[in-house]
Amino acid sequence: MSDNGIKSENILEKLNWRYATKSYDPAKKISDSDWATLEESLVLAPSSFGLQPYKYIVVTDPETREKLKPAAWGQPQITDASHLVVFAYKKTLTDADIEHYVDRIVEVRGGSREDLADYENVMKSSAQKAVDGGYIEVWNSRQAYIALGFLLQTAALLGIDATPMEGFDPAQFNEILGLTDYSAVAVAALGYRNAEGDWLANLPKVRFPKEELIVRV
Amino acid sequence: MSDNGIKSENILEKLNWRYATKSYDPAKKISDSDWATLEESLVLAPSSFGLQPYKYIVVTDPETREKLKPAAWGQPQITDASHLVVFAYKKTLTDADIEHYVDRIVEVRGGSREDLADYENVMKSSAQKAVDGGYIEVWNSRQAYIALGFLLQTAALLGIDATPMEGFDPAQFNEILGLTDYSAVAVAALGYRNAEGDWLANLPKVRFPKEELIVRV
């Protein structure tokens, strides 16, 4: 048990309880206080160097959600879930992005900007290497998936259903959401399951055995 | 509060407490029962179609950890942390991989393999499209980052320190760990901080403001 009373068995119970919800009850909404916790989990997710090279698009407008639905093969979670988050990674990283982050470090921690010059240069050269090497989009997009993991786990811990989704057309999503410097890479629908209408709700979770997934060296 | 007593404030307290630990106390080991919970979180992490296209390499052998250290720019967490997990994604997805997964679904849920034929074909064609399109490695590697998020969050909830790391040479890691079909993409060191020896331990966490990270539509 941790020092604030969170128990292993309760964590695992909730991670077993969660599943990729296929059918939501459109009448059940996530409370404002739970939603604030979920957003805070997104903000607190770690990322490479702490650069947070992404935006979280929280789509509440029903009309926009109706437009997104056909771009996600008509999946009903897009419109029926209480909340929808689109994860969009930044398509590049410029010196200005790094400088903006260094400004934020100074704002939060105080101290002088000069003391961070070496760190700033390391970040700038890593970013430049990723741009030149053609893997900046891969790098940035992976960071968004850590945040997706945080969001899904926090939702489960609070007893809130969620669906991670990759089955959508990023180009159409970007156009509908007006994204240019960022690109949609994953979606999470969140809300409360309609257990009677969801074929998956009561099926056992399928995972490979631990002995197969984990290699011990 | 969730129905098993996990409170928002306790989750957020722990997500604020965690940080990318730079210095570990090599004498403090994670208990077997906590470690079992952490491994279970890795197993329970969701992935696209549930395919789990990765292995988790748990490196306990001190000699191997000494060999990995120079391939991670000498970062001391590689050898000093209680536990080390290397996330390695599968470099391709074959029909045999999909069939292996369908076998597992039948094993866990029962029912007939024929009932899953449509689903099997959807997965096979998605995998083939990703192979042909040259993005299978990106797709598989992103899934591993969801699991990285799960591991980091569960560790934090249990009061266990962790360090997500991308600063290493994947080719050298693959060679040292004997990986051929899989490739190392991220590392997590886990254990207990040496707070006195860690310059980062007591600095405030830096995140962009919620108003900047979250876009509301």
Side-chain angles (χ1 to χ4, degrees):
Chain A
M1 201 197 309
S2 77
D3 52 18
N4 68 8
I6 295 177
K7 292 181 197 166
S8 286
E9 67 206 59
N10 290 347
I11 298 170
L12 294 181
E13 182 200 327
K14 286 304 189 184
L15 294 186
N16 273 297
W17 168 85
R18 70 154 296 284
Y19 73 112
T21 303
K22 304 301 178 198
S23 178
Y24 283 90
D25 182 342
K28 285 197 194 154
K29 301 296 178 195
I30 298 170
S31 72
D32 289 348
S33 72
D34 279 346
W35 186 252
T37 301
L38 292 165
E39 286 195 352
E40 198 59 23
S41 295
L42 288 170
V43 172
L44 289 171
S47 58
S48 196
F49 290 121
L51 283 163
Q52 300 176 279
Y54 39 62
K55 298 280 185 196
Y56 307 120
I57 326 282
V58 175
V59 189
T60 49
D61 176 49
E63 210 170 299
T64 304
R65 287 172 64 174
E66 282 296 342
K67 277 189 211 157
L68 293 172
K69 193 174 174 175
W73 329 137
Q75 292 173 92
Q77 300 98 316
I78 298 288
T79 48
D80 294 353
S82 170
H83 286 65
L84 191 74
V85 181
V86 178
F87 292 76
Y89 68 87
K90 195 157 196 297
K91 292 195 282 187
T92 190
L93 275 180
T94 62
D95 280 0
D97 290 321
I98 308 293
E99 286 157 18
H100 178 59
Y101 175 52
V102 174
D103 289 343
R104 180 62 179 163
I105 298 176
V106 172
E107 187 180 18
V108 172
R109 292 186 179 157
S112 101
R113 218 177 177 296
E114 286 64 42
D115 291 343
L116 296 167
D118 286 351
Y119 189 54
E120 180 172 336
N121 287 332
V122 167
M123 290 191 284
K124 282 183 176 173
S125 78
S126 293
Q128 193 58 52
K129 211 176 133 199
V131 170
D132 294 344
Y135 61 88
I136 188 72
E137 296 197 53
V138 174
W139 186 30
N140 285 353
S141 69
R142 284 174 179 156
Q143 309 309 314
Y145 278 67
I146 300 175
L148 175 60
F150 265 46
L151 182 68
L152 295 173
Q153 181 162 354
T154 297
L157 295 171
L158 296 176
I160 294 167
D161 285 302
T163 319
M165 303 168 80
E166 289 179 320
F168 63 91
D169 181 338
Q172 286 185 61
F173 264 53
N174 293 344
E175 184 167 339
I176 293 164
L177 297 171
L179 299 173
T180 50
D181 297 343
Y182 294 79
S183 182
V185 67
V187 170
L190 300 110
Y192 294 96
R193 67 184 72 177
N194 164 27
E196 292 74 42
D198 192 337
W199 60 271
L200 190 54
N202 296 308
L203 287 179
K205 187 182 291 301
V206 178
R207 293 290 185 273
F208 289 119
K210 191 196 282 199
E211 299 67 40
E212 184 177 332
L213 274 177
I214 297 181
V215 178
R216 296 177 198 281
V217 175
Chain B
M1 205 198 309
S2 77
D3 52 17
N4 68 7
I6 296 177
K7 291 181 197 166
S8 286
E9 65 206 58
N10 290 347
I11 298 169
L12 295 181
E13 181 199 328
K14 286 304 190 186
L15 295 186
N16 273 296
W17 168 85
R18 71 153 295 283
Y19 74 112
T21 303
K22 303 301 177 196
S23 178
Y24 283 91
D25 180 342
K28 286 199 193 152
K29 301 296 179 195
I30 298 171
S31 72
D32 288 349
S33 72
D34 278 345
W35 185 251
T37 301
L38 292 165
E39 286 195 354
E40 197 60 23
S41 294
L42 287 171
V43 171
L44 290 171
S47 58
S48 197
F49 290 120
L51 284 164
Q52 300 176 277
Y54 39 62
K55 299 279 187 197
Y56 307 119
I57 327 283
V58 175
V59 189
T60 49
D61 177 48
E63 209 170 302
T64 304
R65 286 171 66 173
E66 282 295 343
K67 276 189 210 155
L68 293 172
K69 192 174 175 176
W73 329 136
Q75 292 173 92
Q77 300 98 317
I78 298 289
T79 48
D80 293 354
S82 170
H83 286 65
L84 192 75
V85 182
V86 177
F87 293 76
Y89 68 88
K90 194 158 197 299
K91 291 195 282 186
T92 190
L93 275 180
T94 64
D95 280 0
D97 290 322
I98 308 292
E99 285 157 19
H100 178 60
Y101 175 52
V102 174
D103 290 342
R104 179 64 179 162
I105 298 176
V106 172
E107 187 180 17
V108 172
R109 293 186 178 157
S112 100
R113 218 177 177 298
E114 287 64 41
D115 291 343
L116 296 167
D118 287 350
Y119 189 53
E120 179 171 336
N121 287 332
V122 167
M123 288 190 285
K124 282 182 176 174
S125 78
S126 293
Q128 193 59 54
K129 212 176 132 199
V131 171
D132 294 344
Y135 60 88
I136 187 72
E137 297 199 52
V138 174
W139 187 30
N140 286 352
S141 70
R142 283 173 179 157
Q143 310 308 314
Y145 278 68
I146 300 176
L148 176 60
F150 266 46
L151 182 68
L152 295 174
Q153 182 161 354
T154 297
L157 294 172
L158 295 175
I160 294 167
D161 286 301
T163 318
M165 303 167 82
E166 290 178 318
F168 63 91
D169 181 340
Q172 287 187 59
F173 264 52
N174 293 344
E175 184 167 339
I176 293 164
L177 297 171
L179 299 172
T180 50
D181 297 344
Y182 293 79
S183 183
V185 66
V187 170
L190 301 109
Y192 294 95
R193 68 184 72 176
N194 165 27
E196 291 74 42
D198 193 335
W199 60 271
L200 191 54
N202 295 307
L203 288 179
K205 189 183 288 304
V206 177
R207 292 293 186 272
F208 289 119
K210 190 196 280 194
E211 299 67 38
E212 183 176 333
L213 275 177
I214 298 180
V215 177
R216 299 177 196 283
V217 175

